[in-house]
Amino acid sequence: MRVFRSTRRAFLNWTNRLLAGSGLAAGALAADSRQEPEGEDYYEKLGVTKIINAAGTYTALTASIMPASVQAAVARAAKTPVRLAELQTAAGEYIARRLHCEAALVTDGAASALTLGTAACMTRANRTAIHNIPTDLAEIRNEVIVQKSHRYDYDHAIRNCGTRFVEVETMKQYEAAFNERTVMAHFFNAAEGGAIGREEWVRVAHAHGVPCFNDAAADVPPIANLWNYTEMGFDLVTFSGGKGIRGPQNAGLLLGKKELIAAAAMNNNPFSDTVGRGMKVAKEQIVGMVAAVDWFLTQSDAGMEAEFRKRAERIAAQLKGIPTLKSTIALPDVAANAVPHLLIRYDPQRVKITPEAVMQELRRGSPSIELNPTTGKVRGGGLPTDENTIVVGVWMLQAGEEDIVARRLREVLSQAAA
Ligand SMILES: *Cc1c(COP(=O)(O)O)cnc(C)c1O
């Protein structure tokens, strides 16, 4: 790859020099990217493969692409220094106004919001906690109540504060779990199980004077979720900045009660003796997060859904005629990634390739395409999938990419049906 690229670069330079004499160089061929106002293409320089994201807002795939207005705001913010704390405060106040909550903090992603929000709950009663989290907790309350089915990988971000989880399954256990060490009740918004619903969860915690956190990181659209849970009474709610909202990948929103957001800010950088010191969001990304909220609020749920359906239908139309192949469009039945996905099924006796192998083929091809990772999985991400289902996540595709995905799928599947 690298050899090919540098050879191509050398060829372009050589042809440009040749054409320069004839006055054709400037637009006739791709000019050396170093001279382009957009800057040098460092993916190319580093030999990093650019991909088509037919998966979704997955962290490992860099999640989302910022809309042009957000990219421009980021680039503009990069040109001028400001005072970081002033920017954090102003951005939080602006976002709180737009999202109808008391207060907000731009965090280094939703995982950081989990850590800072937990630290806030621990410091609410005891300011010295700020300097002692996560190692010196003898004097500090640190129990977090959670439903057993709401335990997940991301709760490591809560444990980063030195907390201890108290797991409950029934309402009776929940009621009995509160004690003088309880600091927070945690809820995973997109959980598939759990006997206790959101409103009940909040009601019981508040009856014990304990704040409730709802992790809704991947749970927009619908847009109104940005205020649904704070309005429901959750004291803290987080969303990833770089998923559906399409802000910077290392930004997120912590929304909630004034007192707790202020405590979260005290546990955050620029203060150095805090658990949040390593969770810095640079001025560019703070501004990018605000701009992304502005952009997202110009969208509509119906408009987004129609656009994603159109893309899915366009791919499905180009797969017509492949023996036994059937496509459907489905939304997950959990709160996360609630957008239309394209599901493709066929008889593996007739089209002799597994969905997993199709995913590998598209990854290996040029351009390299990533299909949704629930491909070939049973009930992946709340979608009605099985071992014989290919899943195309269409919502992060860029203009025209659905046709490339359709062409590659058609090539690979037709060949396997031959
Ligand atoms: C993605 C995700 C996170 C982490 O979000 P980041 O913004 O990448 O830090 C946390 N919780 C859930 C449920 C998520 O889906």
Side-chain angles (χ1 to χ4, degrees):
M1 288 277 247
R2 293 188 94 121
V3 174
F4 169 75
R5 286 201 172 107
S6 51
T7 309
R8 181 172 162 270
R9 163 67 50 77
F11 171 77
L12 289 176
N13 282 343
W14 173 77
T15 44
N16 273 342
R17 274 200 299 279
L18 256 185
L19 290 168
S22 64
L24 278 170
L29 273 176
D32 188 314
S33 55
R34 266 169 297 195
Q35 287 152 25
E36 288 172 12
E38 283 184 278
E40 183 159 12
D41 185 343
Y42 270 89
Y43 293 144
E44 185 164 321
K45 187 170 190 171
L46 298 172
V48 171
T49 310
K50 295 176 193 174
I51 61 172
I52 290 179
N53 181 357
T57 59
Y58 293 90
T59 296
L61 303 177
T62 64
S64 65
I65 292 296
M66 295 183 281
S69 64
V70 180
Q71 291 186 24
V74 168
R76 189 158 185 171
K79 293 178 201 249
T80 315
V82 294
R83 293 182 180 86
L84 184 57
E86 182 188 352
L87 175 60
Q88 287 171 337
T89 304
E93 286 171 0
Y94 180 89
I95 289 168
R97 269 199 309 280
R98 295 232 61 192
L99 302 183
H100 321 303
C101 55
E102 275 187 22
L105 180 68
V106 175
T107 63
D108 191 356
S112 288
L114 292 173
T115 305
L116 292 176
T118 305
C121 292
M122 292 170 74
T123 40
R124 200 167 63 112
N126 185 350
R127 280 279 150 141
T128 59
I130 292 172
H131 309 295
N132 295 331
I133 292 170
T135 48
D136 301 304
L137 300 178
E139 308 290 307
I140 297 161
R141 304 190 295 163
N142 73 333
E143 286 187 8
V144 174
I145 306 176
V146 66
Q147 294 186 75
K148 198 168 180 180
S149 57
H150 288 216
R151 293 298 308 273
Y152 57 168
D153 289 350
Y154 296 110
D155 66 37
H156 201 124
I158 294 171
R159 289 187 283 128
N160 280 350
C161 292
T163 55
R164 202 176 76 76
F165 279 113
V166 177
E167 292 180 0
V168 301
E169 288 176 276
T170 64
M171 184 52 100
K172 205 165 160 218
Q173 290 169 350
Y174 185 33
E175 294 266 15
F178 292 87
N179 65 55
E180 68 291 342
R181 292 192 65 79
T182 310
V183 286
M184 187 173 106
H186 185 59
F187 198 92
F188 169 29
N189 197 53
E192 295 206 31
I196 309 167
R198 296 181 186 89
E199 267 129 337
E200 286 292 272
W201 190 255
V202 171
R203 186 182 59 74
V204 173
H206 286 179
H208 290 87
V210 168
C212 276
F213 198 138
N214 188 8
D215 177 357
D219 303 351
V220 288
I223 295 165
N225 274 357
L226 291 172
W227 46 88
N228 284 343
Y229 304 120
T230 44
E231 286 181 350
M232 196 179 279
F234 280 99
D235 305 273
L236 292 167
V237 179
T238 184
F239 293 93
S240 279
K243 293 181 180 168
I245 306 171
R246 290 179 59 191
Q249 195 188 9
N250 64 343
L253 298 173
L254 181 63
L255 311 174
K257 296 278 154 58
K258 244 193 175 100
E259 181 207 3
L260 287 171
I261 296 296
M266 294 298 294
N267 280 281
N268 196 17
N269 63 83
F271 308 113
S272 295
D273 188 5
T274 61
V275 70
R277 180 59 181 86
M279 302 175 183
K280 199 188 304 163
V281 191
K283 61 185 178 304
E284 294 83 359
Q285 282 74 42
I286 294 176
V287 167
M289 186 72 253
V290 176
V293 167
D294 275 345
W295 172 81
F296 196 57
L297 294 179
T298 66
Q299 305 296 297
S300 76
D301 294 335
M304 285 189 281
E305 173 156 352
E307 168 62 25
F308 303 147
R309 267 185 200 281
K310 201 172 76 188
R311 292 178 195 174
E313 279 161 7
R314 205 174 151 89
I315 294 171
Q318 294 176 66
L319 300 178
K320 286 229 166 76
I322 294 174
T324 71
L325 185 144
K326 286 194 172 56
S327 338
T328 52
I329 296 173
L331 276 80
D333 62 9
V334 293
N337 307 308
V339 290
H341 289 64
L342 178 65
L343 274 48
I344 301 163
R345 287 195 193 80
Y346 49 85
D347 178 356
Q349 304 296 320
R350 184 63 189 83
V351 183
K352 294 191 170 67
I353 186 167
T354 63
E356 174 66 30
V358 172
M359 189 151 82
Q360 299 292 348
E361 275 299 307
L362 265 60
R363 182 174 293 149
R364 267 199 296 271
S366 179
S368 178
I369 297 168
E370 282 292 335
L371 290 176
N372 189 281
T374 65
T375 292
K377 306 255 160 54
V378 178
R379 235 191 94 71
L383 286 164
T385 58
D386 59 20
E387 303 83 349
N388 288 319
T389 314
I390 293 172
V391 183
V392 188
V394 294
W395 64 318
M396 291 298 132
L397 290 173
Q398 305 199 67
E401 288 181 340
E402 60 267 38
D403 290 339
I404 303 173
V405 174
R407 193 190 72 224
R408 286 291 295 141
L409 281 171
R410 191 170 179 90
E411 277 169 14
V412 170
L413 294 170
S414 316
Q415 198 170 31

